[in-house]
Amino acid sequence: MSRNVVVLDYGSGNLRSAERALARTGARVTVTADYDAALNAEGLVVPGVGAFAACMAGLKGVRGDEIVGRRLAGGRPVLGICVGMQVLFARGVEHGVETEGCGEWPGTVERLEAPVLPHMGWNTVKVPDGSVLFAGIEEERFYFVHSYGVREWELVPGDGFGHPLVTWAEHGVPFVAAVENGPLMAAQFHPEKSGDAGAALLKNWVGTL
């Protein structure tokens, strides 16, 4: 049976490409800002591109932070993509300005230290044992476009939903590439732009719904 997935439309993100990529997994996909639809869908995808502060403003504008919190309180799956992953953390710092995030995970989104920014293109990731998202694609490369990331993982085992699985990548410095934490999962890269590997990752996620 196909799963009902909502891509949250809050004015940011590759909405149509995410919609198409998810539809190819067999899911029934709706792009909407509707509160009830986003709250009650079997899976919610929070995309995001651009600045952390602008994404948070847009997210709050459709009560997206509240939707995410209520879904997770009920154990309902959420997948964050790119800045949609970043806003799940406690704070973002851009150009010296600190913006409060959703606070689902502790930690700070900050500028990467690398000779070339943005980090744009294909990169490998270091996948932890037991990953569901990366099952069968542990050695694949994924497509990144970002200048900011989470460079330190601050959540200790026992907090939140069980034991989080953190996937890392490196561009100048190590940064968090993906997280699997019970019903809350996220990727810094763009699965919808990552070819067959990204399609497989989205199919793995839909398979958890």
Side-chain angles (χ1 to χ4, degrees):
M1 187 176 70
S2 63
R3 298 302 183 188
N4 169 31
V5 174
V6 162
V7 177
L8 187 62
D9 182 2
Y10 64 98
S12 177
N14 298 306
L15 299 175
R16 297 306 166 189
S17 56
E19 177 187 24
R20 289 192 296 269
L22 285 158
R24 285 194 289 270
T25 72
R28 290 176 287 115
V29 188
T30 305
V31 178
T32 183
D34 183 79
Y35 185 93
D36 290 332
L39 184 63
N40 296 314
E42 290 172 286
L44 177 69
V45 175
V46 181
V49 295
F52 185 103
C55 284
M56 272 309 301
L59 196 63
K60 288 183 175 181
V62 300
R63 298 165 66 194
D65 53 337
E66 181 182 327
I67 292 167
V68 169
R70 287 190 60 186
R71 285 186 64 88
L72 295 177
R76 283 173 283 180
V78 175
L79 175 68
I81 294 176
C82 198
V83 184
M85 166 179 153
Q86 295 179 1
V87 295
L88 297 170
F89 286 85
R91 69 194 67 82
V93 179
E94 293 179 333
H95 309 297
V97 177
E98 183 172 316
T99 303
E100 182 179 336
C102 292
E104 298 298 339
W105 293 313
T108 301
V109 178
E110 56 190 332
R111 189 172 175 85
L112 301 179
E113 292 182 4
V116 177
L117 289 175
H119 171 217
M120 182 181 299
W122 299 85
N123 202 349
T124 55
V125 296
K126 185 176 181 180
V127 179
D129 292 338
S131 170
V132 173
L133 274 185
F134 292 92
I137 49 172
E138 295 88 350
E139 304 301 321
E140 298 293 338
R141 296 162 70 89
F142 298 88
Y143 192 80
F144 292 82
V145 184
H146 64 120
S147 296
Y148 293 79
V150 176
R151 292 160 50 184
E152 294 184 23
W153 179 255
E154 298 180 14
L155 181 65
V156 297
D159 288 355
F161 301 100
H163 184 74
L165 296 178
V166 182
T167 294
W168 292 85
E170 187 165 329
H171 181 72
V173 291
F175 65 88
V176 175
V179 184
E180 298 166 67
N181 190 198
L184 183 57
M185 300 189 187
Q188 175 63 68
F189 53 84
H190 287 277
E192 76 281 7
K193 295 182 178 180
S194 295
D196 291 344
L201 183 138
L202 291 175
K203 188 171 183 179
N204 286 344
W205 178 71
V206 170
T208 70
L209 304 181

